[in-house]
Amino acid sequence: MGSARTALFNWLFARHCGGEMVLRVEDTDAALKTQEYVDAIVEPLRWLGIDWDSGPHFQSERRDIHGAAIEQLLADGTAYYCDLTRAEIEERCAAAGLPVGYHGWSRDRGVSDGPGVVVRFRCPDHGETVVEDVVRGRVGFPNESLEDFVIRRGDGSPTFHLANAVDDHHMGITHVIRGEDLLNTTPRVMLIWQALGFGEPPVYAHLPLLVNAKRQKLSKRRDDVALHNYQRRGYLPEAMVNHLALLGWGPPDDVEIRPLDEIVELFDLAAVKPAPAFFDPARLDHINSAYIRALTPDQFADRALPFAAGVGAVDGDAGGMADGQGASEDAPARTERVRAATLRLAGDLQQRVATLTDVAGWIDWIVADDVVCDEKAWHKSIVKGRAAAEVLEAVEARLARDDFSSAERLEAIVMGVGDDLTESIGARVRSQPPVRVALSGTGAGLPLWEPMRLLGKEETLRRIRAARERL
RNA sequence: GCCCCCAUCGUCCAGCGGCCUAGGACGCCGGCCUUUCACGCCGGUAACACGGGUUCGAAUCCCGUUGGGGGUGCCA
C-alpha cells in the first residue's frame, strides 16, 4: 500500500506535467532478484491502473556501469576497501569508547581487495550536505553525523545508494519522489553524485509516511496492507486510487471524490502535506460505496458477479471466492440466478453495499434453496406481530391469483392486505414484516417485490406456506 | 545515544499575518423522508500540543519545550 501510494504520486506528478514515468526495480541485493518480488511490484500497479512509459528496468542488469563508478571512486580516493566484520567494528568501538557505528576504521589501513572485502564511501568530515526537498524545504545533514557507508558488498554487488546515483544520472531522472523513510539516505546518494561529478542533482520530494492507527509506519507483518487483499474483498481500484490520492494531498476545491483525470489536473507536488497520514479503512469504505453507487447496473453486475458467484452454495463461501468445490452440478444454474439478481436488483444493492463482497449478504436468501430463519426476527414479526397468521393467509391467497409480472402489483397486493386487516380489526396491521420473515428469514433487507419475482410464484408461495405451517 | 522529519476536530484535507466566533469530508449522535433496511436531506458533536518571542494583529513567522514518527545494515 505504501509503495502503491508512492507510485501513484509519482504517476500523478508525471501525468500532470506531461512527463515520463520510469519504472525501475531496485534489486541490487541478490535476495530481491526474484520473480515474486517483481510481481509484487507490478501486479498492484496494474490493478490500480498506474502505468509507466519506460521499464521495468532492473538495476541488477546494470552491474558493469555500477562497477565502473565504484572503480572511479576507488581511484580518486573517495572510496576505500574495508574487511572488518560487524563484530570487529563493535569491538573497535568498545575499545575506543565510541558509540556503535562505523568511524572510518579502515580509511588508512591499506586493505586490498579480495573475497568478502567491501568498498566504503569516504564521507566528508566537515560541512553539511543539503537536500532541497519539494515537500519539506531545505534539510541539512551535518557531515560529521554521516558514517562511511558501504557502496559495494563483499560479493561485489553495488548497494542501492551507489546504484541510484549512477542510474538516476544515466537514465536522466529529473524527479525522485519517495517515502520519507528514505530521506536520511538521500545525503549518501548526493555525496556519491557529487563525487562522480554528475552536476545538478534531481529534484527530491519525500512523501509523508502512511501510518497505522498507532501512528507507526505501515508494516507488512502487522498491518493490513497487501493490495490484493483489498481487491479480494471487493474494493474497486478506482476507489482505492482516489482514497490514496487523498492521503497527504487534497484538491484546492475540497471536492474529494472525483474522476482520476481531474485529480491529475489538480495534483500539485509542492502542496503535499509533510505530516504522516493514517490509512482510515472507514473512509475507504465510504469512497468505495460512492464509486459503487456511480456504476451503471450493467457495470455493477459485471463487477459484482465474481464476488457473489458462490452465494447460496451448499457449503457456501460468503466471501464469494467459492471455487465450485463441493458445489454440485447446479452451480451454473445458481450462477445464473446470481447474475439475474445482481442485475435486476442493481440499484437497490448499489445503495446498500460498501464493497462488492457485501452483495452476497443481501441476496443469499433469493438465491439459496431455502430460508435460514433468524429466530429473533421470527419472534418479533410473526409470533408477536399483530395478525401475522391472517396476513400470511390473505397474502398467500391473493398472491395465488397473480401472475407475478409486476413488482408494483406485488407490492400493492401485500400492502393491501395490511390495509384491509387494519380496517377490519381496527388496529394498525403491518403486512410487510411477516411476509419478509417468511421469505427471507430476516427482519430487514432489500425491498421485497422484485425479489419475489426472482424467487418466482411457486417458491414465494411455498415459503409463505412453510411459515404458516410452522405457525 | 546520535541524525532527520512531523504537530489544526477521533480520522483525512482547508487555512500559507487581519476574511477564523477556524471551513469541508469520514466517523459518531439526533431529526426528516420511508409500513423494513438503505440511499437522500437537515442539524449537532469535536481541533489550532505547550511556553516564549516578532507584529498594531498569529492557527499562520521565529526560538524552545513536550509529544509522535523515521533512520542509524554488506535491506531498500
Side-chain angles (χ1 to χ4, degrees):
Chain A
M1 175 135 23
S3 304
R5 200 281 296 252
T6 300
L8 174 62
F9 277 42
N10 272 275
W11 185 88
L12 289 173
F13 178 71
R15 291 292 170 263
H16 176 85
C17 308
E20 191 181 335
M21 170 93 165
V22 178
L23 177 60
R24 189 175 72 208
V25 179
E26 312 203 316
D27 57 351
T28 57
D29 188 29
L32 268 16
K33 281 178 67 177
T34 67
Q35 190 57 42
E36 299 88 90
Y37 179 67
V38 175
D39 290 344
I41 292 167
V42 169
E43 282 170 6
L45 294 183
R46 288 200 197 290
W47 179 60
L48 292 174
I50 296 173
D51 56 2
W52 50 90
D53 307 297
S54 171
H57 302 283
F58 296 88
Q59 288 190 319
S60 58
E61 291 172 4
R62 305 167 61 84
R63 280 285 286 276
D64 38 349
I65 306 175
H66 304 320
I70 293 167
E71 288 308 319
Q72 185 185 331
L73 294 174
L74 241 16
D76 68 21
T78 6
Y80 60 89
Y81 294 112
C82 172
D83 60 357
L84 263 25
T85 62
R86 199 71 229 166
E88 287 169 328
I89 290 169
E90 278 168 28
E91 276 172 33
R92 282 173 182 257
C93 290
L98 289 165
V100 236
Y102 190 84
H103 303 278
W105 300 119
S106 299
R107 280 186 177 188
D108 305 309
R109 286 174 57 235
V111 179
S112 47
D113 203 3
V117 171
V118 306
V119 175
R120 286 182 183 270
F121 185 90
R122 184 188 300 265
C123 289
D125 298 319
H126 308 288
E128 173 181 59
T129 299
V130 175
V131 179
E132 289 294 349
D133 192 281
V134 177
V135 337
R136 278 150 227 284
R138 179 190 191 281
V139 184
F141 296 83
N143 288 150
E144 308 89 280
S145 72
L146 270 22
E147 293 173 5
D148 289 356
F149 54 94
V150 172
I151 58 175
R152 192 204 72 183
R153 303 188 183 88
D155 66 0
S157 62
T159 60
F160 97 119
H161 311 104
L162 185 283
N164 278 11
V166 172
D167 291 348
D168 287 351
H169 178 252
H170 285 278
M171 297 169 81
I173 301 299
T174 56
H175 297 259
V176 177
I177 305 169
R178 21 130 77 158
E180 197 207 319
D181 50 346
L182 260 14
L183 180 54
N184 291 300
T185 73
T186 308
R188 295 183 176 190
V189 181
M190 294 189 69
L191 251 15
I192 296 172
W193 186 279
Q194 285 164 18
L196 257 14
F198 287 160
E200 211 38 46
V203 173
Y204 282 96
H206 287 89
L207 306 175
L209 253 23
L210 254 32
V211 298
N212 61 22
K214 284 153 68 184
R215 309 240 116 223
Q216 297 163 313
K217 171 179 156 183
L218 256 20
S219 126
K220 210 177 268 186
R221 284 197 59 182
R222 65 169 120 79
D223 301 307
D224 184 16
V225 293
L227 246 25
H228 64 81
N229 282 338
Y230 288 84
Q231 176 178 14
R232 200 170 50 78
R233 289 206 297 262
Y235 289 93
L236 308 184
E238 53 269 49
M240 179 61 84
V241 163
N242 199 146
H243 180 237
L244 253 18
L246 263 15
L247 262 25
W249 176 80
D253 59 7
D254 274 353
V255 177
E256 300 179 325
I257 299 178
R258 67 198 313 162
L260 187 55
D261 58 336
E262 289 183 19
I263 295 177
V264 167
E265 173 83 35
L266 296 168
F267 186 74
D268 178 10
L269 189 60
V272 170
K273 216 179 79 153
F278 169 55
F279 182 93
D280 187 356
R283 194 152 183 264
L284 207 215
D285 278 356
H286 172 256
I287 293 174
N288 201 54
S289 52
Y291 273 84
I292 286 178
R293 257 175 277 130
L295 258 21
T296 64
D298 284 322
Q299 292 171 328
F300 173 72
D302 281 347
R303 301 182 71 159
L305 191 63
F307 294 90
V311 180
V314 188
D315 55 348
D317 173 1
M321 284 291 112
D323 49 11
Q325 177 194 16
S328 48
E329 46 292 341
D330 56 271
R334 191 183 320 103
T335 300
E336 217 20 71
R337 272 184 283 166
V338 171
R339 183 192 296 281
T342 43
L343 186 58
R344 280 166 61 182
L345 301 173
D348 285 334
L349 289 167
Q350 283 171 276
Q351 64 181 226
R352 268 162 262 254
V353 301
T355 68
L356 261 16
T357 50
D358 291 345
V359 172
W362 290 90
I363 63 168
D364 54 0
W365 63 277
I366 303 170
V367 178
D369 294 329
D370 208 352
V371 180
V372 177
C373 192
D374 169 10
E375 294 306 321
K376 278 180 71 179
W378 172 271
H379 187 78
K380 184 181 174 197
S381 302
I382 296 193
V383 179
K384 301 283 249 188
R386 174 148 45 224
E390 289 84 344
V391 166
L392 292 177
E393 180 183 358
V395 166
E396 187 191 341
R398 296 187 194 185
L399 246 24
R401 296 193 293 271
D402 193 78
D403 64 1
F404 278 55
S405 63
S406 156
E408 290 71 31
R409 203 166 54 238
L410 292 174
E411 174 175 10
I413 289 172
V414 174
M415 291 316 204
V417 166
D419 293 340
D420 292 350
L421 284 170
T422 296
E423 201 168 318
S424 62
I425 291 177
R428 182 61 177 273
V429 173
R430 293 175 188 273
S431 55
Q432 189 178 157
V435 173
R436 178 177 294 284
V437 174
L439 295 180
S440 75
T442 62
L446 258 15
L448 291 170
W449 331 117
E450 190 60 31
M452 282 168 73
R453 298 189 63 228
L454 251 3
L455 237 29
K457 182 174 179 177
E458 192 185 331
E459 176 64 9
T460 300
L461 291 175
R462 187 191 73 73
R463 291 188 185 185
I464 291 174
R465 217 175 296 125
R468 292 185 60 204
E469 280 163 16
R470 181 176 167 189
L471 251 177

